[in-house]
Amino acid sequence: MTSHLFSFGHGYSAKALTRLLLPQGWTVTGTTRSAEKADALRRKGTRPVIWPGDDVSGQLSETTHLLISAGPSEAGDPVLAELRDQIVGIAPQLKWVGYLSTTGVYGDHQGNWVDETTPLTPRTKRGQLRVEAEAAWQKLAAETGLPLHIFRLAGIYGPGRGPFAKVRSGTARRIIKKNQIFSRIHVEDIAQVLEASIKRPRAGAIYNLCDNVPAPPEDVIGYAAELLGLPLPPAVDFETAEMTPMARSFYAESKKVRNDLIKTELGVTLLYPDYQSGLKALLEEEADAQSR
């Protein structure tokens, strides 16, 4: 059977993985919610499926690898809610299943280190829903032998997702909260970790995906301004800063995330081991695109 990845919630990270797989002869099917986005996926070489909506049984019958990026809701994981029986039916043919979760499942550790063995104590509703979704997939894997791999992603950045636009527009702020530390990961490093896991599957594995340098968010904004040669954005105290509830919730948790396992077990060498190298590369890519 030809290698065929079925990607539920075919978004930013899944598209980066697809760019690695298609040149190797893979078939990739990805779900989207609109016909317009389906056309865009088709132009990039992905077989689009509008889901929820379209019947996906035919595509699933040909699937060898499954990637779940679709986020859970109060009703649980959307893929399991609608397609659990179909996934159970194809479990014997699946060589790899990847579930994209978040380091938010660890909760707040007051700036201290966490790894894959750290107890899950999320402080946000989003984190709690991810814990429940991870557990639901693990339960299914235990019952069916599904070759499940869980990937806990730190803050994602990459082309089109970086601090430069806000710094250029003058809307960026350096939110200052004592002992606030975030980990982050470039989307191309997410893709290479997923590819490495596909090539070296270990059912039941859990991996943290982040770079080597957890850092306060104000340091990242400051470095982006330095690269652009623009003034340092203003420092604003977290307690008095005007922020959306969603933005403020990210500051409820502070931790440094270890990534040793992706290196020792999967042999991954990060393309962008810190935010400095990642931001430099994004700026160089921008310049290259503008010069063409």
Side-chain angles (χ1 to χ4, degrees), residues 22-35:
L22 288 178
Q24 301 176 41
W26 282 63
T27 297
V28 177
T29 297
T31 71
T32 186
R33 292 179 177 270
S34 72

PDB file of all heavy atoms in Angstrom, residues 22-35:
ATOM      1  N   LEU A  22       5.335  15.005   0.221  1.00  0.00           N
ATOM      2  CA  LEU A  22       4.928  14.911  -1.179  1.00  0.00           C
ATOM      3  C   LEU A  22       6.093  14.603  -2.129  1.00  0.00           C
ATOM      4  O   LEU A  22       5.943  13.763  -3.025  1.00  0.00           O
ATOM      5  CB  LEU A  22       4.208  16.197  -1.617  1.00  0.00           C
ATOM      6  CG  LEU A  22       2.803  16.407  -1.053  1.00  0.00           C
ATOM      7  CD1 LEU A  22       2.233  17.740  -1.531  1.00  0.00           C
ATOM      8  CD2 LEU A  22       1.868  15.262  -1.428  1.00  0.00           C
ATOM      9  N   PRO A  23       7.269  15.232  -1.943  1.00  0.00           N
ATOM     10  CA  PRO A  23       8.380  14.897  -2.844  1.00  0.00           C
ATOM     11  C   PRO A  23       8.858  13.454  -2.717  1.00  0.00           C
ATOM     12  O   PRO A  23       9.578  12.959  -3.591  1.00  0.00           O
ATOM     13  CB  PRO A  23       9.488  15.879  -2.423  1.00  0.00           C
ATOM     14  CG  PRO A  23       8.781  16.993  -1.737  1.00  0.00           C
ATOM     15  CD  PRO A  23       7.624  16.360  -1.044  1.00  0.00           C
ATOM     16  N   GLN A  24       8.478  12.785  -1.630  1.00  0.00           N
ATOM     17  CA  GLN A  24       8.866  11.395  -1.419  1.00  0.00           C
ATOM     18  C   GLN A  24       7.834  10.416  -1.986  1.00  0.00           C
ATOM     19  O   GLN A  24       7.944   9.204  -1.802  1.00  0.00           O
ATOM     20  CB  GLN A  24       9.057  11.117   0.074  1.00  0.00           C
ATOM     21  CG  GLN A  24      10.114  11.995   0.734  1.00  0.00           C
ATOM     22  CD  GLN A  24      10.208  11.759   2.233  1.00  0.00           C
ATOM     23  OE1 GLN A  24      10.152  10.630   2.716  1.00  0.00           O
ATOM     24  NE2 GLN A  24      10.351  12.847   2.996  1.00  0.00           N
ATOM     25  N   GLY A  25       6.810  10.947  -2.674  1.00  0.00           N
ATOM     26  CA  GLY A  25       5.829  10.089  -3.312  1.00  0.00           C
ATOM     27  C   GLY A  25       4.607   9.772  -2.470  1.00  0.00           C
ATOM     28  O   GLY A  25       3.795   8.919  -2.850  1.00  0.00           O
ATOM     29  N   TRP A  26       4.458  10.439  -1.351  1.00  0.00           N
ATOM     30  CA  TRP A  26       3.302  10.208  -0.489  1.00  0.00           C
ATOM     31  C   TRP A  26       2.030  10.769  -1.122  1.00  0.00           C
ATOM     32  O   TRP A  26       2.065  11.726  -1.892  1.00  0.00           O
ATOM     33  CB  TRP A  26       3.490  10.880   0.863  1.00  0.00           C
ATOM     34  CG  TRP A  26       4.396  10.169   1.820  1.00  0.00           C
ATOM     35  CD1 TRP A  26       5.733   9.919   1.668  1.00  0.00           C
ATOM     36  CD2 TRP A  26       4.033   9.636   3.096  1.00  0.00           C
ATOM     37  NE1 TRP A  26       6.225   9.267   2.768  1.00  0.00           N
ATOM     38  CE2 TRP A  26       5.208   9.079   3.668  1.00  0.00           C
ATOM     39  CE3 TRP A  26       2.852   9.588   3.827  1.00  0.00           C
ATOM     40  CZ2 TRP A  26       5.217   8.477   4.927  1.00  0.00           C
ATOM     41  CZ3 TRP A  26       2.856   8.986   5.076  1.00  0.00           C
ATOM     42  CH2 TRP A  26       4.026   8.437   5.616  1.00  0.00           C
ATOM     43  N   THR A  27       0.904  10.177  -0.743  1.00  0.00           N
ATOM     44  CA  THR A  27      -0.405  10.783  -0.947  1.00  0.00           C
ATOM     45  C   THR A  27      -0.815  11.422   0.372  1.00  0.00           C
ATOM     46  O   THR A  27      -0.671  10.810   1.435  1.00  0.00           O
ATOM     47  CB  THR A  27      -1.448   9.730  -1.345  1.00  0.00           C
ATOM     48  OG1 THR A  27      -1.077   9.149  -2.593  1.00  0.00           O
ATOM     49  CG2 THR A  27      -2.836  10.347  -1.456  1.00  0.00           C
ATOM     50  N   VAL A  28      -1.297  12.665   0.320  1.00  0.00           N
ATOM     51  CA  VAL A  28      -1.745  13.357   1.523  1.00  0.00           C
ATOM     52  C   VAL A  28      -3.175  13.841   1.311  1.00  0.00           C
ATOM     53  O   VAL A  28      -3.457  14.545   0.339  1.00  0.00           O
ATOM     54  CB  VAL A  28      -0.835  14.550   1.874  1.00  0.00           C
ATOM     55  CG1 VAL A  28      -1.390  15.300   3.095  1.00  0.00           C
ATOM     56  CG2 VAL A  28       0.592  14.084   2.147  1.00  0.00           C
ATOM     57  N   THR A  29      -4.049  13.431   2.203  1.00  0.00           N
ATOM     58  CA  THR A  29      -5.421  13.919   2.226  1.00  0.00           C
ATOM     59  C   THR A  29      -5.569  14.815   3.449  1.00  0.00           C
ATOM     60  O   THR A  29      -5.163  14.436   4.551  1.00  0.00           O
ATOM     61  CB  THR A  29      -6.428  12.762   2.319  1.00  0.00           C
ATOM     62  OG1 THR A  29      -6.320  11.950   1.146  1.00  0.00           O
ATOM     63  CG2 THR A  29      -7.849  13.274   2.450  1.00  0.00           C
ATOM     64  N   GLY A  30      -6.134  16.005   3.257  1.00  0.00           N
ATOM     65  CA  GLY A  30      -6.291  16.934   4.370  1.00  0.00           C
ATOM     66  C   GLY A  30      -7.693  17.488   4.446  1.00  0.00           C
ATOM     67  O   GLY A  30      -8.312  17.785   3.413  1.00  0.00           O
ATOM     68  N   THR A  31      -8.216  17.622   5.655  1.00  0.00           N
ATOM     69  CA  THR A  31      -9.557  18.175   5.815  1.00  0.00           C
ATOM     70  C   THR A  31      -9.510  19.683   5.952  1.00  0.00           C
ATOM     71  O   THR A  31      -8.563  20.254   6.488  1.00  0.00           O
ATOM     72  CB  THR A  31     -10.278  17.594   7.044  1.00  0.00           C
ATOM     73  OG1 THR A  31      -9.674  18.092   8.250  1.00  0.00           O
ATOM     74  CG2 THR A  31     -10.238  16.076   7.048  1.00  0.00           C
ATOM     75  N   THR A  32     -10.552  20.309   5.445  1.00  0.00           N
ATOM     76  CA  THR A  32     -10.742  21.746   5.592  1.00  0.00           C
ATOM     77  C   THR A  32     -12.233  22.004   5.681  1.00  0.00           C
ATOM     78  O   THR A  32     -13.043  21.090   5.474  1.00  0.00           O
ATOM     79  CB  THR A  32     -10.101  22.518   4.425  1.00  0.00           C
ATOM     80  OG1 THR A  32     -10.183  23.913   4.679  1.00  0.00           O
ATOM     81  CG2 THR A  32     -10.785  22.193   3.105  1.00  0.00           C
ATOM     82  N   ARG A  33     -12.617  23.240   5.991  1.00  0.00           N
ATOM     83  CA  ARG A  33     -14.032  23.530   6.217  1.00  0.00           C
ATOM     84  C   ARG A  33     -14.689  24.278   5.069  1.00  0.00           C
ATOM     85  O   ARG A  33     -15.904  24.504   5.107  1.00  0.00           O
ATOM     86  CB  ARG A  33     -14.201  24.331   7.509  1.00  0.00           C
ATOM     87  CG  ARG A  33     -13.863  23.546   8.762  1.00  0.00           C
ATOM     88  CD  ARG A  33     -14.030  24.398  10.004  1.00  0.00           C
ATOM     89  NE  ARG A  33     -13.778  23.627  11.203  1.00  0.00           N
ATOM     90  CZ  ARG A  33     -14.705  22.946  11.882  1.00  0.00           C
ATOM     91  NH1 ARG A  33     -15.952  22.940  11.441  1.00  0.00           N
ATOM     92  NH2 ARG A  33     -14.405  22.277  12.973  1.00  0.00           N
ATOM     93  N   SER A  34     -13.927  24.684   4.053  1.00  0.00           N
ATOM     94  CA  SER A  34     -14.529  25.485   2.981  1.00  0.00           C
ATOM     95  C   SER A  34     -14.007  25.048   1.620  1.00  0.00           C
ATOM     96  O   SER A  34     -12.889  24.549   1.488  1.00  0.00           O
ATOM     97  CB  SER A  34     -14.218  26.971   3.185  1.00  0.00           C
ATOM     98  OG  SER A  34     -12.859  27.246   2.900  1.00  0.00           O
ATOM     99  N   ALA A  35     -14.834  25.278   0.597  1.00  0.00           N
ATOM    100  CA  ALA A  35     -14.454  24.927  -0.770  1.00  0.00           C
ATOM    101  C   ALA A  35     -13.265  25.769  -1.232  1.00  0.00           C
ATOM    102  O   ALA A  35     -12.400  25.289  -1.966  1.00  0.00           O
ATOM    103  CB  ALA A  35     -15.646  25.130  -1.703  1.00  0.00           C
TER     104      ALA A  35
END
